[in-house]
Structures are given as C-alpha cells and as structure tokens.
C-alpha cells in the first residue's frame, strides 16, 4: 500500500454544516474530509431541531435557504425538514464542484515546521496531506482526540401521535426573518405567527425529555438526555427503558425510529490548538443554517 502525498492550502475535517460553510468560502483552495457517507450529520442524522428560526446572514446561506423553500424542505416560519436539507446540500456542493471526500478518516496529525502533515485513510489506502491551515469541525475533535468533547448529549427519536393538548404556549415574539430570492418575488418568514405544521408545545423537561418540531406535522422529535459517557449500547438501553415506562402524556404515541448520531451540545464554539489549527464544533449551534453562516464567515475573520 503506497502512502501518497498531496498539498492542500486548507484542510477541513468534517463535512458538517460549519465545515461546509468554510468549504464554500474557500472554494478550490480547500478540501473537506468526512468519515461517513453523508454531510451535515450533526444535525440531519442526529435529528437536531432548533426551537427558534434563524436570520440567515451569508450570501451562500441565503442560497441554501431559498432552495430549501423551493423544495418545500423549509416552512415560511423557518422549520426545517432535515432529510430535505441533505438533498439541498448535495445539490449545492455539486453545482459548486467542491472537493468533499466521503468515507475518509484522519489517522494522525503531525506538525512539520509551519505546516501540518495529516495522515488519512480512504478506499485507496493511506495518504499524507500537507496543509497550511487545519480546521476541525467534528464532534470530538478527531485531529486531537481525547482533549475536548461535548458538554451534554441526547439520543433523539421520532414519535407519532403526540397529543397537542393543554401545553400550548403563545409563540414568542421575534424579529421578522426574510430571504431574498433571485427573482422579483419575496419570501418572508414570520416567526411571530403560528407555525404552519403544528403549535409550539411546552418541552417536558421535568419529565426528562423535550419535544421539537420539523417542517411537517408528522415530524415530532423527542430529545432524551444521556450521560456524557454513555456509549451506544447504554444509550439505546436507556431510551428503550424510558419508552417502555413512558409517562402518561406519551402513552398514545408510537416509537418511529431513533437517530443514527448523538445530539451534542457544547459550552464553547471554538478551541485554538496551535497557529493554523482550530476546532469549531459545528453542533455548538442550534440551527444548521447558523452553523453554516459561522463557517462561511470564517474566511473574513468574523469572531465566532
């Protein structure tokens, strides 16, 4: 097996929403490596949904939001259909012809003078990538494992039959959120009005879970909190035990499926490892478009 060598000015680890934002801002000067076969996993495959809509700031973020609207993957009040977001991202990446390499894992990182030597493994075997700038956006900072991680996590599940009962809240007032399409029409988000798909219900934190909503009425996500050290076997056992003994409010609900990735939360958005080497956990942000914006703005030196 031959160890090939390659030079890339900016190497992005993790095809996360933030990582893709950096990739779009850097263009041909960057390559993104992703260990899995998909993009945006920290939101899409973890069923991570935001409580509040987000005012998109970057030009590319506006493009993505507008395509989500056109594909019915986002409602007028900003609620996202996460599987639809995946198709939008893949389409945007294809049109931009960005270099995103899936099923590629980082083996180790070594500093050599003012550059970094990153040993990676893919279908072709081992290769060494030399880079001037290393941006890690993965959940556990795979370029320096064991040093940092999330502050908390949950295993999210989709449920069916949630009763929209006396837990109705008045929708909180928030500024009007707008996207400007390329044509003459204007799409306006009004997060201060009642959502299209379902009312906003009280998250039942006291009972050990919270409820979140996606684009469609059928997209109801239950967040079940875990201990930070729980592995997948323990996490599933806890979730199934909770479900078998679920509270009365959930008795009429059905268990549809659970997420493939943990939903992570972090205390800080950025850790500086060395000059030219940083960790930006994308899941620090609640909304995928917010994470994308922070990545896209990274090129301009905007503070995270």
């Amino acid at each position: 097996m031959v160890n090939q060598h390659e030079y890339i000015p900016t190497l992005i680890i993790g095809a996360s929403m933030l990582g893709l934002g950096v990739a779009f801002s850097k263009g041909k000067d960057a390559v993104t490596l992703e260990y899995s076969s998909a993009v945006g996993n920290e939101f899409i495959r973890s069923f991570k949904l935001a409580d509040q809509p987000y005012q998109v700031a970057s030009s590319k973020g506006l493009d993505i939001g507008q395509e989500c609207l056109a594909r019915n993957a986002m409602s007028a009040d900003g609620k996202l259909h996460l599987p639809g977001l995946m198709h939008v991202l893949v389409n945007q990446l294809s049109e931009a012809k960005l270099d995103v390499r899936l099923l590629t894992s980082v083996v180790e990182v070594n500093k050599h003078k003012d550059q970094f030597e990153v040993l990676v493994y893919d279908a072709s075997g081992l290769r060494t990538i030399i880079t001037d700038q290393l941006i890690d956006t993965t959940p556990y900072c795979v370029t320096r494992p064991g040093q940092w991680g999330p502050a908390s996590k949950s295993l999210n599940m989709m449920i069916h039959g949630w009763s929209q009962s006396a837990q109705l809240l008045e929708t909180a007032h928030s500024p009007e959120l707008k996207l400007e399409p390329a044509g003459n029409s204007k799409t306006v988000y009004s997060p201060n009005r009642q959502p299209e798909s379902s009312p906003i219900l009280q998250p039942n934190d006291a009972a050990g879970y919270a409820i979140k909503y996606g684009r469609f009425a059928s997209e109801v996500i239950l967040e079940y909190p875990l201990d930070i050290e729980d592995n997948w076997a323990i996490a599933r056992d806890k979730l199934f035990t909770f479900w078998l003994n679920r509270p009365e409010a959930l008795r009429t609900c059905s268990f549809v499926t659970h997420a493939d990735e943990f939903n992570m939360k972090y205390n800080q958005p950025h850790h500086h490892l060395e000059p030219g080497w940083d960790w930006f956990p994308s899941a620090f942000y609640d909304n995928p478009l917010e994470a994308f914006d922070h990545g896209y703005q990274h090129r301009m030196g905007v503070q995270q």
Side-chain angles (χ1 to χ4, degrees):
M1 184 161 39
V2 177
N3 184 357
Q4 307 170 60
H5 287 70
E6 183 180 9
Y7 169 73
I8 297 165
T10 299
L11 187 62
I12 304 160
I13 311 301
S16 63
M17 291 302 298
L18 191 147
L20 295 178
V22 177
F24 274 103
S25 72
K26 297 284 186 179
K28 303 301 182 182
D29 290 332
V31 168
T32 304
L33 307 182
E34 168 60 40
Y35 81 95
S36 75
S37 59
V39 299
N41 292 326
E42 78 283 11
F43 288 95
I44 298 171
R45 293 178 67 173
S46 72
F47 300 172
K48 184 184 182 78
L49 291 169
D51 289 317
Q52 299 295 329
Y54 169 70
Q55 177 65 64
V56 180
S58 68
S59 58
K60 181 50 67 173
L62 288 170
D63 289 343
I64 292 173
Q66 198 59 54
E67 186 172 345
C68 284
L69 280 170
R71 290 175 177 265
N72 201 26
M74 185 163 61
S75 64
D77 59 359
K79 291 187 179 299
L80 278 165
H81 174 57
L82 292 175
L85 175 61
M86 173 76 76
H87 291 284
V88 171
L89 294 173
V90 170
N91 185 57
Q92 292 278 336
L93 288 167
S94 177
E95 289 183 355
K97 295 181 170 56
L98 297 182
D99 193 347
V100 178
R101 304 177 187 180
L102 304 178
L103 300 174
T104 304
S105 300
V106 173
V107 178
E108 65 178 12
V109 177
N110 293 295
K111 189 168 185 179
H112 181 68
K113 296 181 180 180
D114 294 329
Q115 295 180 313
F116 303 97
E117 295 181 352
V118 184
L119 183 64
V120 302
Y121 182 78
D122 59 19
S124 299
L126 292 170
R127 70 176 68 236
T128 297
I129 297 177
I130 310 299
T131 186
D132 301 318
Q133 185 179 28
L134 185 58
I135 300 175
D136 190 331
T137 71
T138 62
Y140 285 98
C141 190
V142 298
T143 55
R144 186 174 282 180
Q147 185 162 349
W148 296 297
S152 63
K153 68 182 181 181
S154 66
L155 179 53
N156 295 357
M157 61 180 288
M158 182 176 290
I159 61 175
H160 175 73
W162 171 255
S163 174
Q164 299 174 359
S165 59
Q167 297 179 343
L168 286 173
L169 292 177
E170 290 185 6
T171 307
H173 176 74
S174 56
E176 187 179 68
L177 180 64
K178 300 180 181 180
L179 280 185
E180 299 291 346
N184 296 324
S185 61
K186 179 183 291 185
T187 302
V188 179
Y189 296 88
S190 299
N192 56 331
R193 75 183 181 202
Q194 191 73 1
E196 292 179 3
S197 56
S198 60
I200 296 179
L201 304 189
Q202 175 78 43
N204 203 342
D205 293 320
Y209 64 90
I211 299 293
K212 302 291 178 67
Y213 300 95
R215 164 70 181 90
F216 301 105
S218 59
E219 292 177 293
V220 181
I221 301 299
L222 183 148
E223 291 186 354
Y224 183 74
L226 301 169
D227 293 323
I228 199 65
E229 67 274 8
D230 288 347
N231 59 27
W232 273 102
I234 294 173
R236 288 191 183 99
D237 182 67
K238 284 185 174 182
L239 181 64
F240 296 153
T241 299
F242 162 78
W243 191 251
L244 289 173
N245 300 280
R246 61 192 180 275
E248 189 63 32
L250 295 169
R251 282 292 169 183
T252 60
C253 299
S254 302
F255 186 134
V256 179
T257 187
H258 68 67
D260 295 328
E261 300 278 348
F262 291 126
N263 175 25
M264 309 290 198
K265 296 185 179 180
Y266 299 82
N267 291 329
Q268 298 182 48
H270 173 222
H271 287 276
H272 181 66
L273 286 76
E274 294 185 25
W277 184 2
D278 296 272
W279 178 47
F280 297 94
S282 181
F284 171 84
Y285 303 97
D286 291 329
N287 190 295
L289 296 179
E290 182 181 11
F292 182 91
D293 268 359
H294 279 268
Y296 193 82
Q297 293 165 350
H298 177 76
R299 67 167 179 175
M300 299 176 285
V302 175
Q303 293 298 315
Q304 304 293 309

